[in-house]
Coordinates of all heavy atoms in Angstrom, one line a residue:
S1178 N -17.4 -19.4 18.8 CA -16.9 -19.4 20.1 C -17.6 -18.2 20.9 O -17.8 -17.1 20.2 CB -15.5 -19.3 20.4 OG -14.9 -20.5 19.8
I1183 N -16.7 -11.8 33.3 CA -17.5 -11.9 34.5 C -16.6 -11.4 35.7 O -15.4 -11.7 35.6 CB -17.8 -13.3 34.9 CG1 -19.0 -13.8 33.8 CG2 -18.4 -13.5 36.3 CD1 -19.4 -15.2 34.0
Y1248 N -29.8 -32.1 26.5 CA -28.7 -31.7 25.6 C -28.6 -30.1 25.5 O -27.6 -29.6 25.1 CB -28.9 -32.4 24.2 CG -28.5 -33.8 24.1 CD1 -29.4 -34.8 24.5 CD2 -27.2 -34.1 23.9 CE1 -29.2 -36.1 24.4 CE2 -27.0 -35.6 23.7 CZ -27.9 -36.5 24.1 OH -27.6 -37.7 24.0
F1292 N -13.8 -23.2 45.1 CA -12.4 -23.2 44.6 C -11.8 -24.5 44.8 O -11.9 -25.0 46.0 CB -11.6 -22.1 45.3 CG -12.1 -20.7 45.0 CD1 -12.5 -19.9 46.1 CD2 -12.2 -20.3 43.7 CE1 -13.1 -18.6 45.8 CE2 -12.6 -18.9 43.4 CZ -13.0 -18.1 44.5
D1305 N -28.5 -16.1 37.9 CA -29.1 -16.3 36.6 C -28.9 -15.0 35.8 O -29.6 -14.0 36.2 CB -30.3 -16.9 36.5 CG -30.5 -18.3 36.9 OD1 -30.0 -19.1 36.3 OD2 -31.0 -18.5 38.1
R1318 N -8.6 -9.4 9.9 CA -7.5 -9.8 9.2 C -6.7 -8.8 8.5 O -7.3 -7.8 8.1 CB -8.0 -10.8 8.1 CG -6.9 -11.5 7.3 CD -7.4 -12.5 6.3 NE -6.4 -13.3 5.6 CZ -6.6 -14.2 4.9 NH1 -7.8 -14.6 4.6 NH2 -5.5 -14.9 4.2
E1325 N 8.3 -5.7 11.3 CA 9.5 -6.4 11.9 C 9.8 -6.0 13.3 O 9.6 -4.9 13.7 CB 10.8 -5.9 11.1 CG 10.7 -6.3 9.6 CD 11.9 -6.0 8.8 OE1 12.9 -5.6 9.4 OE2 12.0 -6.3 7.5
V1326 N 9.9 -7.1 14.0 CA 10.1 -6.9 15.5 C 11.4 -7.9 15.9 O 11.8 -8.7 15.1 CB 8.9 -7.3 16.2 CG1 7.7 -6.5 15.9 CG2 8.6 -8.9 16.1
T1341 N 3.9 -10.9 8.2 CA 3.1 -10.4 7.1 C 1.6 -10.5 7.1 O 0.9 -10.0 6.2 CB 3.7 -11.1 5.8 OG1 3.5 -12.6 6.0 CG2 5.2 -10.9 5.7
S1348 N -11.2 -16.3 19.8 CA -10.5 -17.6 20.5 C -9.0 -17.7 20.1 O -8.4 -18.5 20.8 CB -11.3 -18.8 20.1 OG -11.3 -18.9 18.7
M1351 N -3.8 -15.7 15.1 CA -2.9 -16.5 14.0 C -2.0 -15.4 13.4 O -2.4 -14.4 12.8 CB -3.8 -17.2 13.0 CG -4.7 -18.3 13.6 SD -5.7 -19.1 12.4 CE -4.3 -19.9 11.3
E1371 N 11.0 -26.2 8.6 CA 12.0 -25.4 8.0 C 11.8 -23.9 8.4 O 10.6 -23.5 8.5 CB 12.0 -25.6 6.5 CG 12.4 -27.1 6.1 CD 12.3 -27.1 4.6 OE1 12.0 -26.1 3.9 OE2 12.6 -28.3 4.1
D1373 N 12.9 -20.2 6.9 CA 13.5 -19.4 5.7 C 14.2 -18.2 6.3 O 13.7 -17.4 7.0 CB 12.3 -19.0 4.8 CG 11.6 -20.2 4.1 OD1 12.3 -21.2 4.0 OD2 10.3 -20.0 3.9

Side-chain angles (χ1 to χ4, degrees):
S1178 298
I1183 293 178
Y1248 284 86
F1292 298 113
D1305 290 292
R1318 185 172 184 177
E1325 295 189 4
V1326 300
T1341 56
S1348 57
M1351 299 179 62
E1371 296 181 357
D1373 295 328

